[in-house]
Amino acid sequence: MVIFITLVAIIVVAFFVLSRKEKSPNTQNNGLNTSIIDDKNIKIVHVTDIHYLSPSLTDYGKSFVDTIEKSDGKMMRYIDQIMDAFVLEMIRTKPDLVIVSGDMTYNGEKESHIGLANKFKILKDKGIKVLVLPGNHDLENEMALAFEGDATRPVETVTIEEFEEIYKGYGYGKDDPDVVSRDKKSLNYVYQLGNKCHLIMVETSTKGNDQTISNSSYRWIEKWLRKAKDMNMRVIGVSHQNILAHNKLFIAGYKITNSSRLVDLYNKYNVRINLSGHMHIQHMAEHKRVHDIALACLGLYPNLYGVLDMDLRNNMTYHTESLDVAYWMKKYKHQDSDLLDFENTSREYFVRCTRLQTEKQLAKLDLSKEDKEMMMDFMVDTNIHYFSGSLDKRPDLSLDNPAYKLWMDHCERTFTGSYLNSIYTDTISDHNRLEIFQ
């Protein structure tokens, strides 16, 4: 009996000790952070191409209008309010992680970076993790300007070291236990989310990695893909530039030049999704079981951000949401009518920018007013639905549309004609939803 009681006591003590060991946080295995969090579904929000310009750098005068507002339709006049609305929406929806994949600032202005980091701090203080990655606009940019009256003036941009310091709480902190690796020769890093997911953040905006991935970075990437596989980790890739071609006109300057090697690695190690941006167009491409989801620009109608959900079995679903700026306006009792009806304001501004650019092309054509109006309407509808990834909702916009035929008959050799041809000779599908099952 004494022996039996002794054995029971030993078993109980051993079970207690082992139980405490299993719950010990930040245990290291193969260099990985294996801190245990409660098993649950993971929700990641992706936002890109914010092009934030600090309000302190403009008086919204003539130089601002001529340089910025007459561009591609981004709502730059309201970008500060858009970001405040985004922060509120994240506090409401409570994702596990927000990823910002480059071109965070208009042209790398230091004040814009600091202002944006201050907005991210609100999320961080609410327990929402934020990770950033630089884009081609964000570092050592000679075009960093302030816009005052009729003129512009140069302002301070950021070096790589200053970028790391500003965003040390958002992926670039040396003491962050969830950043399990940094590539010594670039701004690449690996972030561990919980106990089953790695984010591999691949930048192509610094010297040696400018629109390309260096051999040393590729060795680092494969090393960590192997480790993640050994740990049975789901890996999600993140980049600013695209890793697959999304449109035959938007390859050079848009796709990472040697990304085929990355796609092969992702295929080999079962990385099924890469989150990117850069094009300002909502579009998905797939090759070798790897999906590159190019997210539209946040400041551009319909002001999208992406939501990636991953369940306990590593099944993933992706969809987009339009930012609800009007909710932010009403909550804080702002009175600007343009923002209270933001969806319509954003759409009408995008339409106006499209019309301004298209009018220049149509003015050169000897056609009737009716034909020109038909062509204009077709271009506006095309841009609205192509940029929002929703051409599948408009089957009337096609190669058979009479307006498309007018464009091809009279402008086939122009950029506008080539642009329309690149869209309508591609497969039309839903670019706002994706499901991947294990």
Side-chain angles (χ1 to χ4, degrees):
M1 177 62 78
V2 173
I3 294 173
F4 174 75
I5 293 172
T6 302
L7 285 173
V8 169
I10 290 171
I11 290 170
V12 169
V13 170
F15 177 79
F16 178 75
V17 170
L18 288 173
S19 298
R20 289 180 63 85
K21 275 191 174 182
E22 287 173 1
K23 294 179 181 177
S24 177
N26 299 320
T27 306
Q28 298 295 312
N29 187 349
N30 291 328
L32 300 179
N33 175 20
T34 56
S35 55
I36 303 299
I37 64 171
D38 293 337
D39 282 335
K40 64 173 185 174
N41 295 346
I42 289 175
K43 179 179 181 179
I44 297 171
V45 164
H46 175 214
V47 63
T48 192
D49 295 88
I50 298 167
H51 291 285
Y52 181 77
L53 181 69
S54 171
S56 64
L57 296 177
T58 182
D59 58 6
Y60 304 100
K62 187 176 185 301
S63 65
F64 174 86
V65 173
D66 291 346
T67 307
I68 296 178
E69 285 206 323
K70 291 182 179 178
S71 58
D72 63 354
K74 294 190 297 294
M75 295 286 287
M76 291 299 299
R77 181 175 292 270
Y78 296 114
I79 197 63
D80 190 55
Q81 293 90 336
I82 287 171
M83 278 309 300
D84 286 342
F86 177 77
V87 167
L88 178 61
E89 195 146 324
M90 294 304 98
I91 293 171
R92 287 170 59 203
T93 57
K94 296 180 174 60
D96 297 290
L97 178 68
V98 173
I99 295 173
V100 189
S101 65
D103 281 2
M104 299 183 291
T105 58
Y106 186 65
N107 272 323
E109 311 83 12
K110 188 172 186 178
E111 284 187 53
S112 298
H113 278 298
I114 292 171
L116 202 54
N118 288 337
K119 294 183 187 298
F120 295 156
K121 187 177 185 302
I122 298 171
L123 295 178
K124 184 179 178 182
D125 290 345
K126 293 288 185 179
I128 299 170
K129 298 175 183 291
V130 179
L131 297 183
V132 303
L133 193 69
N136 51 294
H137 280 252
D138 291 324
L139 299 167
E140 299 175 337
N141 194 330
E142 295 178 356
M143 295 301 295
L145 300 170
F147 302 87
E148 298 166 344
D150 296 345
T152 62
R153 62 175 174 83
V155 297
E156 191 176 1
T157 184
V158 295
T159 64
I160 291 174
E161 293 74 21
E162 288 170 327
F163 180 88
E164 292 177 292
E165 177 62 24
I166 291 170
Y167 296 107
K168 62 185 178 182
Y170 312 102
Y172 289 100
K174 296 179 180 178
D175 299 323
D176 187 340
D178 294 318
V179 177
V180 295
S181 180
R182 272 287 306 271
D183 180 8
K184 295 179 181 179
K185 297 186 178 180
S186 75
L187 290 176
N188 299 337
Y189 62 98
V190 176
Y191 183 90
Q192 183 167 322
L193 180 61
N195 60 353
K196 63 177 181 177
C197 181
H198 273 173
L199 285 301
I200 187 160
M201 313 288 286
V202 178
E203 64 88 9
T204 49
S205 301
T206 56
K207 186 177 180 180
N209 273 14
D210 187 11
Q211 295 189 42
T212 191
I213 300 172
S214 67
N215 287 330
S216 63
S217 288
Y218 265 124
R219 289 191 291 271
W220 173 85
I221 289 168
E222 184 159 22
K223 170 187 173 182
W224 280 93
L225 289 174
R226 280 197 302 267
K227 286 193 174 186
K229 183 179 180 180
D230 290 343
M231 293 292 294
N232 196 29
M233 286 277 183
R234 163 66 81 186
V235 177
I236 297 166
V238 181
S239 61
H240 176 61
Q241 282 90 353
N242 314 128
I243 68 170
L244 293 173
H246 290 260
N247 180 303
K248 60 188 177 184
L249 286 185
F250 305 141
I251 297 176
Y254 293 88
K255 188 181 81 69
I256 297 169
T257 56
N258 61 347
S259 62
S260 59
R261 183 175 171 185
L262 184 63
V263 174
D264 287 340
L265 284 174
Y266 283 176
N267 172 261
K268 178 180 178 181
Y269 291 99
N270 197 33
V271 181
R272 303 294 306 281
I273 285 180
N274 185 76
L275 303 174
S276 66
H278 192 47
M279 292 196 307
H280 296 188
I281 295 169
Q282 181 65 35
H283 198 276
M284 299 182 188
E286 184 272 334
H287 183 58
K288 295 183 177 179
R289 298 173 65 251
V290 178
H291 298 262
D292 186 32
I293 304 176
L295 178 65
C297 168
L298 182 67
L300 199 64
Y301 179 81
N303 311 100
L304 298 176
Y305 62 88
V307 181
L308 180 63
D309 291 294
M310 186 168 68
D311 68 18
L312 296 177
R313 296 184 178 180
N314 282 342
N315 299 316
M316 295 186 290
T317 60
Y318 173 91
H319 73 278
T320 58
E321 297 277 356
S322 287
L323 181 62
D324 190 354
V325 176
Y327 176 86
W328 169 79
M329 287 290 294
K330 292 171 184 175
K331 181 176 177 64
Y332 293 104
K333 297 181 171 58
H334 295 297
Q335 299 302 316
D336 188 322
S337 59
D338 286 341
L339 290 173
L340 286 169
D341 189 18
F342 181 79
E343 182 179 358
N344 185 59
T345 298
S346 182
R347 186 184 190 279
E348 289 305 308
Y349 181 67
F350 183 76
V351 168
R352 179 155 60 92
C353 289
T354 297
R355 293 183 69 90
L356 283 172
Q357 295 172 7
T358 307
E359 283 170 358
K360 299 173 185 176
Q361 183 69 48
L362 292 177
K364 302 173 185 177
L365 304 180
D366 184 18
L367 292 171
S368 68
K369 180 181 178 181
E370 291 74 18
D371 282 349
K372 287 185 178 182
E373 286 177 352
M374 186 189 303
M375 293 169 73
M376 175 65 82
D377 290 343
F378 183 80
M379 177 60 76
V380 168
D381 288 343
T382 295
N383 267 3
I384 286 174
H385 292 282
Y386 186 54
F387 274 73
S388 63
S390 60
L391 268 175
D392 61 306
K393 305 296 189 295
R394 288 289 302 272
D396 59 307
L397 300 175
S398 70
L399 295 170
D400 297 325
N401 190 296
Y404 176 80
K405 293 178 179 180
L406 280 172
W407 276 108
M408 292 303 103
D409 287 344
H410 299 280
C411 302
E412 185 175 10
R413 295 183 181 275
T414 67
F415 174 79
T416 306
S418 298
Y419 168 69
L420 289 171
N421 177 264
S422 72
I423 294 171
Y424 288 106
T425 55
D426 194 10
T427 302
I428 303 298
S429 59
D430 183 358
H431 292 278
N432 288 281
R433 292 187 176 275
L434 179 67
E435 294 181 339
I436 296 177
F437 298 104
Q438 282 293 87

